[in-house]
Amino acid sequence: IGGISHAFQSGSDEALIYDELKSQGRESLMQKIMGRYLASMTFGFGLAALVGGFLAVNQHMEEFYLLYKLTIVFQLIGLAIFMTVREPLPTKEGKDKEHEPDTTLRHFSGALKHLLSHKKLRHIFLLVLFTQPFSFVLIYLFQPYFVLAQVPAAWYGIAVFLASMLSIG
């Protein structure tokens, strides 16, 4: 379910947000809105870890079944919300513009040029480069070690929640 969700989301969410802002003449707010959008996703992830840490406090299979069921419920709620989203009408400029398909290499080289020419973007890139592996290790690899060290699951949830909140700032 997560993979399907990611495939549908990948880039299309940004395009939808931009098109909606453009239809309102507010495309200059794209960076601010995307920041809030990504922060809300990070907050949701952190909150899920916090709640999961408290709901699976004893690490029993029944608690994990409850977490799986809650995941499915929230995925269905997300699907219901997704079904209400309407694509904005194309602007006159968008209708009149002819589009040629770009190659992946052209997209990559354009992104690389943009990255190299903007100092703040490089800083963000380096921050992500050095912090994402940490969150991956904390979330997926260290969890069994928390259990072996008899660290309460709630502490694990709190750690992931705090790491998520710090990454929003």
Side-chain angles (χ1 to χ4, degrees), residues 102-113:
D102 278 338
T103 64
T104 304
L105 183 59
R106 185 176 294 170
H107 282 294
F108 178 75
S109 66
L112 189 59
K113 286 177 189 174

Coordinates of all heavy atoms in Angstrom, one line a residue, residues 102-113:
D102 N 10.8 15.5 -22.0 CA 12.2 15.6 -21.7 C 12.7 14.3 -21.3 O 12.0 13.5 -20.7 CB 12.4 16.6 -20.5 CG 12.4 18.1 -21.0 OD1 12.7 18.3 -22.2 OD2 12.2 18.9 -20.2
T103 N 14.0 14.1 -21.5 CA 14.6 12.8 -21.0 C 14.9 12.9 -19.5 O 15.1 14.1 -19.0 CB 15.9 12.5 -21.8 OG1 16.8 13.6 -21.5 CG2 15.6 12.5 -23.3
T104 N 15.1 11.8 -18.9 CA 15.5 11.8 -17.5 C 16.8 12.5 -17.3 O 17.1 13.2 -16.4 CB 15.5 10.4 -17.0 OG1 14.2 9.8 -17.2 CG2 15.8 10.3 -15.5
L105 N 17.7 12.2 -18.3 CA 19.1 12.8 -18.2 C 19.0 14.3 -18.2 O 19.7 15.0 -17.5 CB 19.9 12.3 -19.3 CG 21.4 12.8 -19.3 CD1 22.1 12.4 -18.0 CD2 22.1 12.2 -20.5
R106 N 18.1 14.9 -19.1 CA 18.0 16.3 -19.1 C 17.4 16.9 -17.8 O 17.9 17.9 -17.3 CB 17.0 16.7 -20.3 CG 17.0 18.3 -20.5 CD 16.2 18.6 -21.7 NE 16.8 18.2 -22.9 CZ 16.2 18.2 -24.1 NH1 15.0 18.6 -24.2 NH2 16.9 17.8 -25.1
H107 N 16.5 16.2 -17.2 CA 15.9 16.6 -15.9 C 17.0 16.6 -14.9 O 17.2 17.5 -14.1 CB 14.8 15.7 -15.5 CG 13.5 16.1 -16.2 ND1 12.8 17.2 -16.0 CD2 12.7 15.3 -17.0 CE1 11.7 17.2 -16.7 NE2 11.6 16.1 -17.3
F108 N 17.8 15.5 -14.9 CA 18.8 15.3 -13.9 C 19.9 16.4 -14.0 O 20.3 17.0 -13.1 CB 19.5 13.9 -14.0 CG 20.6 13.7 -13.0 CD1 20.4 13.5 -11.7 CD2 21.9 13.8 -13.5 CE1 21.4 13.3 -10.8 CE2 23.0 13.6 -12.6 CZ 22.7 13.4 -11.2
S109 N 20.4 16.7 -15.3 CA 21.4 17.7 -15.5 C 20.9 19.1 -15.1 O 21.6 19.9 -14.6 CB 22.0 17.6 -16.9 OG 21.0 18.0 -17.8
G110 N 19.6 19.4 -15.4 CA 19.1 20.7 -15.0 C 19.0 20.8 -13.5 O 19.3 21.9 -13.0
A111 N 18.6 19.8 -12.9 CA 18.6 19.8 -11.4 C 20.0 20.0 -10.8 O 20.2 20.7 -9.9 CB 17.9 18.5 -10.9
L112 N 20.9 19.3 -11.4 CA 22.3 19.4 -10.9 C 22.9 20.8 -11.1 O 23.5 21.3 -10.2 CB 23.2 18.4 -11.6 CG 24.6 18.2 -11.1 CD1 24.6 17.8 -9.6 CD2 25.4 17.2 -12.0
K113 N 22.6 21.4 -12.2 CA 23.0 22.8 -12.5 C 22.4 23.7 -11.5 O 23.0 24.6 -11.0 CB 22.7 23.2 -13.9 CG 23.5 22.6 -15.0 CD 23.0 23.0 -16.4 CE 23.7 22.2 -17.4 NZ 23.2 22.5 -18.8

